[in-house]
Amino acid sequence: MKHVSAFTDDALGDLDAVALVDALRTGKVAATDVVEAAIARTEAVNPVLNGLAHATFDRARAMARSGGSGYFDGVPTFFKDNVDVEGMPTMQGTDAWNPVPHARHGDFAEFFLATGLIPLGKTQLSEFGFSGSAEHPRIGAVRNPWDTDFTAGASSSGAGAFVAAGVVPIAHANDGGGSIRIPAACNGLVGLKPSRGRLPQDKMSRQMPVRLVNDGVLTRSVRDTAAFYREAERIWRNRSLPPIGAVTGPGRERLRVAVVTRSINRDSSASVRDRTLETAALLSDLGHRVDNLDHSPIPAKFVDDFLLYWASLAMALVRTGQRTFGKSFDRSRLDNLTLGLDRHASRNLHRLPAAITRLRRLSRVTARFYLDYDILLTPTLAEDTPRIGHLDPTADYQQVIDRLVDWAAFTPLQNATGEPAVSLPLAQSEDGMPMGMMLAAPLGHERRLLELSYELEAAKPFTPMPGASA
């Protein structure tokens, strides 16, 4: 296996974000040294991992020198390159137009910076976030630090690769069809997709007919994810959702857990199914009531409806490219997946209104499901992490989309319903690559997910990436 690790004996060490906050506050390390360490780590591993979309190292150094407010003050991080940040271009994982720095922060960036985190720049993603693997024909593939022959997942690929490799302990990610949870599963990380409306969003995400996209973070520990949402809630609170509060350990309540290893369109692979059932057995041993169900609570039309809506987003971007991204927009530079989605939408546009209506009603189906269960356990992905090339966006569109729909068979449900779900690195494949297990809960119940995540992390500690001990 071709490991790539940035962990070393510097100011970052192998600390997670919470431990780094403690080291900064007690004076064991200085913010300037921490940021320099993160910059050095980025420069050391990026030539291989290819996770960096845009660097703002001098800006990060200045922020470290001046200090700031917020719990995470001094902790280095990255934005994903699909949110607007003042002074940085937003390229959406493509090179189809000329980069132009933004004049002001988007709503999410303004919120994210209020936590005290110091961004070193932006991380790479698949083109517009449409694929589960970032393998751009000219920008290049983002590689997995556990083994560089494999994908780092997507669309938050650069964030996943950099957090797993130890470049930074926490990084921004967002999720429109699994894009927090997929890289979490591929890279052995904690990836919580929050409830719809839990965090502020940029205008483009807010205006979607079905608000699929939710922002969040990727981390190496449950406590880092819990700390981020605790601090996020202190900065900005959606009063229509139950509060998360400070979650510092397992909950006492024993939960009703439904286990599903078959999605609508396919079974999990044998190895993925076996690991999921092992996680179910662990939950049972911990005292939770576990029921095995034949399939997830999703109507048969969901796959086609989600794909058509996903494709309509591509069509909107392709058809309004010059107005949205500037006169330099060149659709001939878009990959086959984006262009194929555009064609799929245009050919099936008459079916879109009914598909949107069914997607909007899907939360009623899952709400009935959660009358009987507190948690839905599935694998995050239906198969092991694939090698680079399996989801090559320059290949025939039908091949790529069939493979993508097949692999990411479980994650899109919560994007349609708005419910929270977390991927935890509770298993490994036979070749030693991380494998994610996904826990989902009713709308607004992130606290329940975090408490259960703490319990599982304690019962089966996450395997660190080789080289993670500084």
Side-chain angles (χ1 to χ4, degrees):
M1 297 179 72
K2 306 174 186 69
H3 303 303
V4 175
S5 172
F7 291 98
T8 188
D9 187 17
D10 57 17
L12 278 171
D14 61 357
L15 302 177
D16 69 358
V18 171
L20 188 56
V21 167
D22 179 69
L24 285 161
R25 291 186 173 185
T26 57
K28 294 178 182 177
V29 296
T32 51
D33 293 335
V34 167
V35 167
E36 285 298 339
I39 292 170
R41 291 185 179 199
T42 305
E43 293 174 334
V45 301
N46 187 63
V48 178
L49 298 182
N50 193 36
L52 185 64
H54 182 72
T56 55
F57 295 161
D58 286 343
R59 179 170 165 178
R61 290 180 174 111
M63 291 177 71
R65 289 193 298 270
S66 62
S69 59
Y71 173 81
F72 290 107
D73 182 32
V75 176
T77 191
F78 285 94
F79 283 105
K80 181 178 174 180
D81 192 20
N82 63 351
V83 296
D84 294 339
V85 185
E86 180 184 338
M88 302 187 201
T90 303
M91 294 304 296
Q92 300 275 0
T94 187
D95 61 354
W97 60 88
N98 297 332
V100 177
H102 275 266
R104 62 183 64 85
H105 294 314
D107 291 337
F108 178 79
E110 189 171 334
F111 151 80
F112 193 69
L113 291 168
T115 65
L117 289 162
I118 297 179
L120 306 183
K122 286 186 167 186
T123 54
Q124 198 54 263
L125 63 150
S126 53
E127 188 167 272
F128 295 114
F130 289 137
S131 179
S133 181
E135 304 182 30
H136 195 278
R138 291 175 299 278
I139 296 171
V142 181
R143 296 181 178 273
N144 194 310
W146 287 72
D147 187 328
T148 56
D149 286 343
F150 290 79
T151 179
S155 63
S156 308
S157 53
F162 280 175
V163 173
V167 174
V168 292
I170 184 172
H172 166 236
N174 48 30
D175 191 315
S179 295
I180 292 174
R181 294 160 288 160
I182 292 170
C186 293
N187 294 284
L189 302 174
V190 177
L192 172 62
K193 183 206 81 69
S195 295
R196 181 177 294 149
R198 178 64 75 183
L199 302 179
Q201 290 185 293
D202 285 356
K203 184 178 180 181
M204 183 179 292
S205 296
R206 295 197 309 269
Q207 291 182 336
M208 287 183 177
V210 182
R211 291 174 58 189
L212 299 180
V213 179
N214 302 268
D215 289 280
V217 292
L218 287 164
T219 72
R220 295 193 296 268
S221 65
V222 173
R223 71 175 185 173
D224 276 5
T225 296
F228 173 79
Y229 283 97
R230 180 196 68 221
E231 296 306 312
E233 200 164 69
R234 291 173 178 172
I235 296 165
W236 189 89
R237 167 87 192 280
N238 183 341
R239 299 289 173 179
S240 68
L241 294 172
I244 299 174
V247 187
T248 57
R252 295 182 179 180
E253 183 182 6
R254 297 300 85 185
L255 303 171
R256 303 165 297 168
V257 180
V259 183
V260 173
T261 60
R262 175 178 174 78
S263 186
I264 308 169
N265 56 320
R266 66 152 295 162
D267 282 316
S268 304
S269 69
S271 63
V272 169
R273 182 179 64 251
D274 290 347
R275 301 301 184 276
T276 308
L277 294 178
E278 289 171 6
T279 302
L282 175 58
L283 286 165
S284 182
D285 291 343
L286 292 169
H288 301 283
R289 193 196 87 187
V290 177
D291 294 339
N292 292 308
L293 305 185
D294 291 336
H295 56 80
S296 58
I298 318 175
K301 281 187 171 290
F302 173 69
V303 175
D304 291 340
D305 287 345
F306 191 92
L307 176 57
L308 178 54
Y309 180 65
W310 197 243
S312 75
L313 302 178
M315 184 179 72
L317 291 167
V318 172
R319 304 299 171 92
T320 66
Q322 288 200 346
R323 186 165 70 249
T324 303
F325 305 111
K327 292 184 178 180
S328 65
F329 176 80
D330 180 358
R331 63 172 290 159
S332 71
R333 297 181 70 80
L334 298 175
D335 66 33
N336 285 359
L337 177 59
T338 299
L339 295 173
L341 288 167
D342 169 50
R343 291 192 302 272
H344 178 74
S346 64
R347 292 167 182 168
N348 295 277
L349 205 55
H350 59 288
R351 296 189 176 95
L352 184 59
I356 289 174
T357 297
R358 286 189 292 267
L359 289 173
R360 286 173 170 168
R361 290 176 177 171
L362 193 58
S363 59
R364 301 179 189 177
V365 176
T366 52
R368 289 194 294 271
F369 171 83
Y370 284 121
L371 293 175
D372 298 320
Y373 294 100
D374 303 304
I375 293 289
L376 172 64
L377 167 66
T378 69
T380 307
L381 295 159
E383 296 179 348
D384 295 353
T385 299
R387 292 177 180 270
I388 298 292
H390 182 73
L391 292 171
D392 178 1
T394 67
D396 176 72
Y397 164 74
Q398 200 58 52
Q399 172 184 301
V400 179
I401 199 64
D402 286 349
R403 289 180 175 183
L404 179 59
V405 169
D406 208 38
W407 185 46
F410 293 95
T411 53
L413 173 61
Q414 290 79 29
N415 297 96
T417 63
E419 294 157 349
V422 63
S423 180
L424 300 176
L426 290 168
Q428 286 186 288
S429 65
E430 293 180 2
D431 55 14
M433 293 296 289
M435 184 183 294
M437 296 290 117
M438 188 166 71
L439 305 165
L443 188 71
H445 285 272
E446 286 92 334
R447 184 178 185 90
R448 180 185 298 169
L449 289 177
L450 289 167
E451 288 176 343
L452 187 56
S453 297
Y454 267 117
E455 187 174 5
L456 288 166
E457 184 184 35
K460 190 174 183 180
F462 306 150
T463 302
M465 197 194 81
S469 295

